[in-house]
């Protein structure tokens, strides 16, 4: 187990403590749990991405919940995955797992605080599949020019499958 970052919450208090992220290494495979602020750089610094000329070692990413301090690096990794995580893999995907959509927001804290109105009335709490879909839309200009042997990122398994 490699602690890539241990800083919780959305505030970056210092440059020497990155956001929450943990890598679990099993054989030559790396599984990453959460992608807090700085996780992508920490993966590189740790050497867990492997030799730049060889296939990357990351096989899966797991999100424990959808708070920003656990997901903020997903947009960066998603948009650069073909370069940083899929190099020399011949289409071999890594998998992403995380919570699904929640139709009802969680209770507010503290309990006596009035509940705010929904930020996204069409889907109050988006899961990782929806978040990845929004990223795909937001960065469409990038993805249109970044095809790998005729297959795009979603076809290679980067992101999540519907219903997962």
């Amino acid at each position: 187990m490699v602690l890539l970052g241990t800083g919780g919450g959305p505030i970056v208090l210092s440059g020497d403590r990155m956001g929450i992220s943990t890598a679990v290494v099993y054989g030559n495979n790396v599984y990453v749990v959460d992608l807090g602020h700085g996780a992508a750089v920490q993966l590189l610094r740790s050497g867990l991405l492997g030799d730049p000329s060889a296939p990357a070692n990351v096989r899966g990413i797991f999100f424990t919940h959808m708070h920003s301090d656990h997901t903020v690096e997903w947009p960066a990794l998603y948009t650069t995955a073909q370069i940083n995580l899929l190099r020399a893999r011949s289409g071999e995907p890594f998998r992403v797992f995380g919570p699904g959509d929640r139709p009802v927001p969680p209770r507010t804290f503290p309990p006596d605080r009035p509940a705010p109105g929904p930020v996204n009335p069409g889907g109050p709490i988006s899961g990782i599949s929806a978040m990845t879909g929004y990223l795909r839309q937001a960065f469409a200009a990038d993805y249109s020019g970044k095809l790998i042997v005729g297959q795009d990122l979603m076809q290679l398994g980067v992101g999540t499958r519907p219903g997962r």
Side-chain angles (χ1 to χ4, degrees):
M1 184 181 313
V2 179
L3 300 177
L4 301 170
T6 58
I11 299 171
V12 178
L13 298 175
S14 69
D16 60 344
R17 189 170 174 204
M18 295 294 119
I20 193 75
S21 186
T22 303
V24 177
V25 182
Y26 181 76
N28 290 328
N29 298 315
V30 177
Y31 301 90
V32 182
V33 180
D34 291 327
L35 292 172
H37 179 73
V41 170
Q42 291 296 87
L43 269 170
L44 179 64
R45 287 181 181 163
S46 71
L48 294 175
L49 289 180
D51 179 340
S53 63
N57 301 331
V58 176
R59 303 302 302 136
I61 298 174
F62 299 83
F63 292 100
T64 58
H65 60 284
M66 298 304 293
H67 286 171
S68 61
D69 59 324
H70 292 253
T71 62
V72 71
E73 286 290 304
W74 179 228
L77 267 174
Y78 183 70
T79 50
T80 63
Q82 64 187 15
I83 297 164
N84 294 313
L85 298 180
L86 294 176
R87 62 177 185 264
R89 274 238 181 112
S90 301
E92 195 180 321
F94 69 91
R95 302 281 183 231
V96 178
F97 300 91
D101 294 348
R102 290 178 69 173
V104 178
R107 291 182 296 142
T108 57
F109 185 83
D112 59 341
R113 190 178 94 191
V119 174
N120 181 11
I125 306 293
S126 295
I128 194 63
S129 291
M131 181 183 183
T132 302
Y134 295 140
L135 292 174
R136 187 174 171 81
Q137 291 174 26
F139 295 112
D142 283 4
Y143 301 141
S144 295
K146 294 181 181 177
L147 296 177
I148 305 171
V149 195
Q151 293 182 316
D152 68 27
L153 293 172
M154 292 300 277
Q155 291 171 331
L156 289 178
V158 181
T160 57
R161 293 177 288 181
R164 301 277 167 118

